[in-house]
Amino acid sequence: MSMTKRYNYRAYPTQGQCGELACLFGACRHAYNWAIEQRELMRRRHGRMQTYNQLSAMFTQHRHDPDHAWLTSVSSTPLQQAIRHADKAYQNFFRQYKAGRTRIVANQRTGRKRRTGLPRFKSRRDGEQAAEFTKSARFKIEHTHGCKWAFLTLPKVGTVKLRWTRDLPSQPSSVTIMRHADGTYEASFVVQAEQATAPAPIHEACGIDMGLESLMSIVHADGTRQKIPHPRTLARKARRLRKLDKQLARQRKGTSNHAKTLLLRARAYKHIQNQRKDMAYKLASTVTGENQAVALETLNVNALARTRMAKSLLDANWTRIITRITELCAQYGRTLVRIDRWYPSSQICSYCGRRDGRKPLNVRTWQCPACSTTLDRDYNAAVNILDAAGLAESLNARGDEVRRALAAADEAHLSTKREPTEPYAFI
Ligand SMILES: [Zn+2]
């Protein structure tokens, strides 16, 4: 089965091309903001909206106005795409609005009220800038087999050098050229790609407990278990970020030194972003690749992110890991079971089933008053999740002692210990 995918490549435009691209991004931003403005005017005056086709025709007129000559110096396709994106933003907003999922919030500083989800104006101070070329813009890619570099020709920009890391699986239907906050450029192609073949699973099933002490505690139905430590990506960069923030506070806004520090900070954040993405993707691919069935908790990350644990929690990247696991399970044909959010996985003894109430987060191990097993908080929860998902059959078939050892705090009874495999060894 083929599916739509994005293939991204780092781009290295020349200084002149950077200038051309800056003009192009500016024009796209203008088109987007213009479309939003037109829609808002129409809504306020007449209580309705233009269709995309009407907007598009209006923009053609606007573009050929002698006052806006600078809009004709760039390719017209990205501008039309920008209007299309604004249109899409409105469609998304209305879907949310009709479903009753928007609300009015006030800005804490200015007191100005706005509705959530309503498309906003783009600013040239936004870090991320982009322009999309479709097939009709006739962009061209040249690549000699085995060559490290490829050349992307964009109308009215020129031929931009790309670092070619892998071949495109098919002719791309569009390309988006982006400038990130850290000053790097990227070209993103939309292609049709064949689905990757699923690797053979090693374990029948696994239960996963997500935590902050250890990022994931995984128990497999064949009696093996492992813990994956929290990567603490943010914490390890915290000193550097704090230093840059202090520096920024001392520098005057608008000076070139201030701009330099802003760039350094953007780079530091980009590094964190890359590390987090890399970790989440590798982890998700290992978990889904190795197991035929995966049992997970349903977590309310948004609610937890309002607590004191927010920084560490968001650094753990749970949402991204879970989203990726869900995607891969669908692709590989694996079973994914999500356990109810209110299931008391850390209150029940996974060996005898006694429920002895909530425990504060600092209790990592405890002894079950009924069967006197010393339980490990995370592993015990993972076994319970496996149980609740109805995937523990083969674990139960292995006997009581295997089950007991799996949730126990000491490793003495554990028949087979598993060393963490390669992708986890990044800590
Ligand atoms: Zn017990």
PDB file of all heavy atoms in Angstrom, residues 73-85:
ATOM      1  N   SER A  73       7.404  40.267  -8.413  1.00  0.00           N
ATOM      2  CA  SER A  73       8.799  39.879  -8.625  1.00  0.00           C
ATOM      3  C   SER A  73       9.099  38.483  -8.087  1.00  0.00           C
ATOM      4  O   SER A  73      10.185  37.966  -8.251  1.00  0.00           O
ATOM      5  CB  SER A  73       9.737  40.892  -7.961  1.00  0.00           C
ATOM      6  OG  SER A  73       9.592  40.794  -6.568  1.00  0.00           O
ATOM      7  N   VAL A  74       8.124  37.845  -7.411  1.00  0.00           N
ATOM      8  CA  VAL A  74       8.315  36.466  -6.955  1.00  0.00           C
ATOM      9  C   VAL A  74       7.328  35.554  -7.678  1.00  0.00           C
ATOM     10  O   VAL A  74       6.362  36.038  -8.271  1.00  0.00           O
ATOM     11  CB  VAL A  74       8.124  36.323  -5.414  1.00  0.00           C
ATOM     12  CG1 VAL A  74       9.127  37.145  -4.662  1.00  0.00           C
ATOM     13  CG2 VAL A  74       6.720  36.680  -5.012  1.00  0.00           C
ATOM     14  N   SER A  75       7.610  34.244  -7.615  1.00  0.00           N
ATOM     15  CA  SER A  75       6.742  33.273  -8.282  1.00  0.00           C
ATOM     16  C   SER A  75       5.314  33.356  -7.716  1.00  0.00           C
ATOM     17  O   SER A  75       5.131  33.584  -6.515  1.00  0.00           O
ATOM     18  CB  SER A  75       7.311  31.872  -8.079  1.00  0.00           C
ATOM     19  OG  SER A  75       6.391  30.909  -8.488  1.00  0.00           O
ATOM     20  N   SER A  76       4.304  33.158  -8.554  1.00  0.00           N
ATOM     21  CA  SER A  76       2.923  33.339  -8.080  1.00  0.00           C
ATOM     22  C   SER A  76       2.379  32.103  -7.348  1.00  0.00           C
ATOM     23  O   SER A  76       1.476  32.227  -6.517  1.00  0.00           O
ATOM     24  CB  SER A  76       2.010  33.699  -9.241  1.00  0.00           C
ATOM     25  OG  SER A  76       1.912  32.604 -10.113  1.00  0.00           O
ATOM     26  N   THR A  77       2.944  30.933  -7.647  1.00  0.00           N
ATOM     27  CA  THR A  77       2.401  29.705  -7.037  1.00  0.00           C
ATOM     28  C   THR A  77       2.453  29.726  -5.505  1.00  0.00           C
ATOM     29  O   THR A  77       1.453  29.437  -4.851  1.00  0.00           O
ATOM     30  CB  THR A  77       3.124  28.455  -7.559  1.00  0.00           C
ATOM     31  OG1 THR A  77       3.491  28.688  -8.896  1.00  0.00           O
ATOM     32  CG2 THR A  77       2.292  27.216  -7.435  1.00  0.00           C
ATOM     33  N   PRO A  78       3.609  30.054  -4.885  1.00  0.00           N
ATOM     34  CA  PRO A  78       3.642  30.059  -3.417  1.00  0.00           C
ATOM     35  C   PRO A  78       2.632  31.025  -2.820  1.00  0.00           C
ATOM     36  O   PRO A  78       2.099  30.778  -1.737  1.00  0.00           O
ATOM     37  CB  PRO A  78       5.062  30.503  -3.089  1.00  0.00           C
ATOM     38  CG  PRO A  78       5.848  30.251  -4.300  1.00  0.00           C
ATOM     39  CD  PRO A  78       4.924  30.384  -5.458  1.00  0.00           C
ATOM     40  N   LEU A  79       2.340  32.128  -3.528  1.00  0.00           N
ATOM     41  CA  LEU A  79       1.384  33.104  -3.009  1.00  0.00           C
ATOM     42  C   LEU A  79      -0.021  32.509  -3.009  1.00  0.00           C
ATOM     43  O   LEU A  79      -0.773  32.647  -2.038  1.00  0.00           O
ATOM     44  CB  LEU A  79       1.419  34.384  -3.839  1.00  0.00           C
ATOM     45  CG  LEU A  79       2.781  35.071  -3.928  1.00  0.00           C
ATOM     46  CD1 LEU A  79       2.676  36.354  -4.717  1.00  0.00           C
ATOM     47  CD2 LEU A  79       3.309  35.365  -2.542  1.00  0.00           C
ATOM     48  N   GLN A  80      -0.360  31.816  -4.108  1.00  0.00           N
ATOM     49  CA  GLN A  80      -1.666  31.151  -4.158  1.00  0.00           C
ATOM     50  C   GLN A  80      -1.764  30.096  -3.056  1.00  0.00           C
ATOM     51  O   GLN A  80      -2.805  29.917  -2.428  1.00  0.00           O
ATOM     52  CB  GLN A  80      -1.881  30.479  -5.521  1.00  0.00           C
ATOM     53  CG  GLN A  80      -2.118  31.447  -6.669  1.00  0.00           C
ATOM     54  CD  GLN A  80      -3.400  32.263  -6.480  1.00  0.00           C
ATOM     55  OE1 GLN A  80      -4.284  31.869  -5.741  1.00  0.00           O
ATOM     56  NE2 GLN A  80      -3.468  33.417  -7.126  1.00  0.00           N
ATOM     57  N   GLN A  81      -0.639  29.393  -2.844  1.00  0.00           N
ATOM     58  CA  GLN A  81      -0.624  28.375  -1.790  1.00  0.00           C
ATOM     59  C   GLN A  81      -0.840  29.008  -0.417  1.00  0.00           C
ATOM     60  O   GLN A  81      -1.527  28.444   0.428  1.00  0.00           O
ATOM     61  CB  GLN A  81       0.692  27.587  -1.801  1.00  0.00           C
ATOM     62  CG  GLN A  81       0.825  26.594  -2.930  1.00  0.00           C
ATOM     63  CD  GLN A  81      -0.362  25.660  -3.046  1.00  0.00           C
ATOM     64  OE1 GLN A  81      -1.176  25.785  -3.949  1.00  0.00           O
ATOM     65  NE2 GLN A  81      -0.487  24.727  -2.118  1.00  0.00           N
ATOM     66  N   ALA A  82      -0.255  30.189  -0.218  1.00  0.00           N
ATOM     67  CA  ALA A  82      -0.407  30.873   1.072  1.00  0.00           C
ATOM     68  C   ALA A  82      -1.875  31.188   1.320  1.00  0.00           C
ATOM     69  O   ALA A  82      -2.381  31.031   2.444  1.00  0.00           O
ATOM     70  CB  ALA A  82       0.423  32.154   1.090  1.00  0.00           C
ATOM     71  N   ILE A  83      -2.584  31.595   0.252  1.00  0.00           N
ATOM     72  CA  ILE A  83      -4.014  31.883   0.399  1.00  0.00           C
ATOM     73  C   ILE A  83      -4.783  30.592   0.677  1.00  0.00           C
ATOM     74  O   ILE A  83      -5.697  30.547   1.502  1.00  0.00           O
ATOM     75  CB  ILE A  83      -4.537  32.584  -0.869  1.00  0.00           C
ATOM     76  CG1 ILE A  83      -3.900  33.963  -0.926  1.00  0.00           C
ATOM     77  CG2 ILE A  83      -6.038  32.688  -0.875  1.00  0.00           C
ATOM     78  CD1 ILE A  83      -4.194  34.731  -2.149  1.00  0.00           C
ATOM     79  N   ARG A  84      -4.347  29.530   0.025  1.00  0.00           N
ATOM     80  CA  ARG A  84      -4.968  28.233   0.267  1.00  0.00           C
ATOM     81  C   ARG A  84      -4.777  27.812   1.740  1.00  0.00           C
ATOM     82  O   ARG A  84      -5.678  27.277   2.371  1.00  0.00           O
ATOM     83  CB  ARG A  84      -4.344  27.193  -0.664  1.00  0.00           C
ATOM     84  CG  ARG A  84      -5.222  26.024  -0.986  1.00  0.00           C
ATOM     85  CD  ARG A  84      -4.545  25.133  -1.991  1.00  0.00           C
ATOM     86  NE  ARG A  84      -4.780  25.544  -3.371  1.00  0.00           N
ATOM     87  CZ  ARG A  84      -5.879  25.242  -4.056  1.00  0.00           C
ATOM     88  NH1 ARG A  84      -6.849  24.558  -3.491  1.00  0.00           N
ATOM     89  NH2 ARG A  84      -6.012  25.616  -5.307  1.00  0.00           N
ATOM     90  N   HIS A  85      -3.572  28.084   2.268  1.00  0.00           N
ATOM     91  CA  HIS A  85      -3.294  27.721   3.670  1.00  0.00           C
ATOM     92  C   HIS A  85      -4.188  28.531   4.621  1.00  0.00           C
ATOM     93  O   HIS A  85      -4.704  27.998   5.606  1.00  0.00           O
ATOM     94  CB  HIS A  85      -1.828  27.977   4.013  1.00  0.00           C
ATOM     95  CG  HIS A  85      -0.897  27.065   3.280  1.00  0.00           C
ATOM     96  ND1 HIS A  85       0.428  27.352   3.079  1.00  0.00           N
ATOM     97  CD2 HIS A  85      -1.100  25.874   2.679  1.00  0.00           C
ATOM     98  CE1 HIS A  85       0.997  26.391   2.396  1.00  0.00           C
ATOM     99  NE2 HIS A  85       0.084  25.470   2.135  1.00  0.00           N
TER     100      HIS A  85
END
